[in-house]
Amino acid sequence: MPSCGAPLASRQPVIVADNASRTVLMSSPKAGVTQTTMLMLSMLNLTREALSYANVHEYRLRVFDKSSAHRRDQLCDDCGDRGQWTCVRFLRSPLDRIVSSYLTWSLNKAYWPELGLACPGSSENASFAQFVMALSAVVNSSERQTRAFDSHVMPQTPLRACGGELSRLLEVPLEAMPHALRELEQLRKLHDAGAVVWPSLHYKLPKVSLQAAAADVSSWPWPPVKAAMFSERLPAYDNFLTSEICRKLSCLFASDFSAYTRMCAQPEI
């Protein structure tokens, strides 16, 4: 592990819970929150109702989360030593997630002052390398305010309020889905109840030429990256990740790297 300064501050995960089935699912934006939400909704046969809204997250925020049947106020007990709940935390590969976050951030033309410093005069066309530079600047900004899309780039995290790891919390790499539904005993009740892992555009393998596959995409400004996305010729995420960028990300997202490595080392996975 390289010598690091302060990592990025983490955020609380998005949580969906159901009292009747005693199930809690946790994830983060750009790290399976849509799939996790749809997994819960399909288990409860609420998919059709949710799809009548603009998107599933509008339904989750306006309807699902407000129901007393889906309370989340006793998670520390429910997922602790004496709990009888199925509690699952999903994490996505930290490297893949930050590339995905860059793409979403750029498509939505979000802005941070830190990016203006990393990419003076043309922040809307920032490359991935400049985006990572801006993330590094965020760490050193003591007076920084919360900004749009922060939740898409800040580290994935456990429930800090519970004072440590939860003994009944099953940790699953997002990349292990949907096979984990069938193969992990703790998740079989979701599988048996008809829960479905919905496909997501985020995880489609890009169609690339041999020339594009060998490209270093980290320095491409946003316009050619966007053009490659919309023509389905975006090089694989690995092409965004130079050794220097990986070094910086391993510092900024140290907690995610540690948790993801621990998850993947589980014999069941």
Side-chain angles (χ1 to χ4, degrees), residues 142-218:
S142 60
E143 299 180 357
R144 184 177 186 276
Q145 301 296 312
T146 300
R147 306 192 189 283
F149 288 91
D150 273 7
S151 62
H152 289 67
V153 296
M154 295 307 176
Q156 306 165 75
T157 177
L159 282 169
R160 296 189 304 273
C162 294
E165 294 299 324
L166 298 170
S167 59
R168 293 187 59 83
L169 183 63
L170 173 66
E171 297 183 311
V172 179
L174 191 63
E175 290 77 7
M177 300 293 280
H179 306 293
L181 280 182
R182 298 188 302 271
E183 297 174 4
L184 294 179
E185 182 178 354
Q186 300 96 318
L187 296 183
R188 283 192 193 132
K189 77 172 185 181
L190 279 76
H191 178 268
D192 294 344
V196 176
V197 179
W198 284 62
S200 169
L201 293 176
H202 302 315
Y203 307 106
K204 284 189 175 180
L205 293 176
K207 303 172 184 176
V208 298
S209 66
L210 291 177
Q211 182 179 4
D216 171 9
V217 189
S218 65

Side-chain angles (χ1 to χ4, degrees), residues 4-269:
C4 297
L8 284 169
S10 58
R11 298 293 181 88
Q12 291 292 77
V14 174
I15 300 166
V16 286
D18 178 61
N19 296 352
S21 64
R22 295 189 174 186
T23 304
V24 173
L25 305 179
M26 308 178 196
S27 57
S28 299
K30 306 308 297 180
V33 69
T34 300
Q35 288 91 330
T36 299
T37 301
M38 293 301 293
L39 186 66
M40 176 68 81
L41 296 177
S42 65
M43 183 184 76
L44 300 176
N45 199 27
L46 294 172
T47 302
R48 184 183 295 274
E49 180 179 342
L51 292 178
S52 68
Y53 285 72
N55 57 66
V56 296
H57 299 300
E58 181 184 7
Y59 175 80
R60 172 174 58 82
L61 293 169
R62 292 178 56 184
V63 180
F64 189 87
D65 286 354
K66 292 183 178 180
S67 169
S68 60
H70 308 298
R71 63 166 178 76
R72 298 171 295 170
D73 55 347
Q74 297 184 38
L75 289 180
C76 297
D77 292 332
D78 296 338
C79 299
D81 292 336
R82 293 176 293 178
Q84 299 298 318
W85 286 49
T86 297
C87 303
V88 188
R89 174 192 176 200
F90 295 96
L91 253 74
R92 186 181 182 184
S93 160
L95 294 175
D96 283 357
R97 178 179 181 251
I98 200 61
V99 176
S100 181
S101 296
Y102 162 71
L103 299 176
T104 296
W105 184 91
S106 298
L107 280 170
N108 287 277
K109 298 187 181 299
Y111 176 73
W112 301 329
E114 294 87 0
L115 190 63
L117 297 175
C119 188
S122 187
S123 60
E124 69 275 10
N125 292 328
S127 68
F128 180 67
Q130 290 168 322
F131 179 75
V132 173
M133 286 176 60
L135 287 178
S136 300
V138 167
V139 172
N140 298 317
S141 179
S142 60
E143 299 180 357
R144 184 177 186 276
Q145 301 296 312
T146 300
R147 306 192 189 283
F149 288 91
D150 273 7
S151 62
H152 289 67
V153 296
M154 295 307 176
Q156 306 165 75
T157 177
L159 282 169
R160 296 189 304 273
C162 294
E165 294 299 324
L166 298 170
S167 59
R168 293 187 59 83
L169 183 63
L170 173 66
E171 297 183 311
V172 179
L174 191 63
E175 290 77 7
M177 300 293 280
H179 306 293
L181 280 182
R182 298 188 302 271
E183 297 174 4
L184 294 179
E185 182 178 354
Q186 300 96 318
L187 296 183
R188 283 192 193 132
K189 77 172 185 181
L190 279 76
H191 178 268
D192 294 344
V196 176
V197 179
W198 284 62
S200 169
L201 293 176
H202 302 315
Y203 307 106
K204 284 189 175 180
L205 293 176
K207 303 172 184 176
V208 298
S209 66
L210 291 177
Q211 182 179 4
D216 171 9
V217 189
S218 65
S219 60
W220 287 13
W222 171 241
V225 174
K226 180 180 179 181
M229 284 181 65
F230 282 93
S231 64
E232 296 190 349
R233 289 292 185 269
L234 184 69
Y237 284 4
D238 286 353
N239 295 67
F240 287 84
L241 299 164
T242 65
S243 58
E244 176 61 19
I245 285 176
C246 287
R247 186 196 69 79
K248 289 180 179 178
L249 293 177
S250 69
C251 291
L252 293 171
F253 296 91
S255 60
D256 282 2
F257 276 85
S258 176
Y260 190 78
T261 300
R262 182 179 69 247
M263 286 185 184
C264 292
Q266 297 175 103
E268 300 86 349
I269 303 297

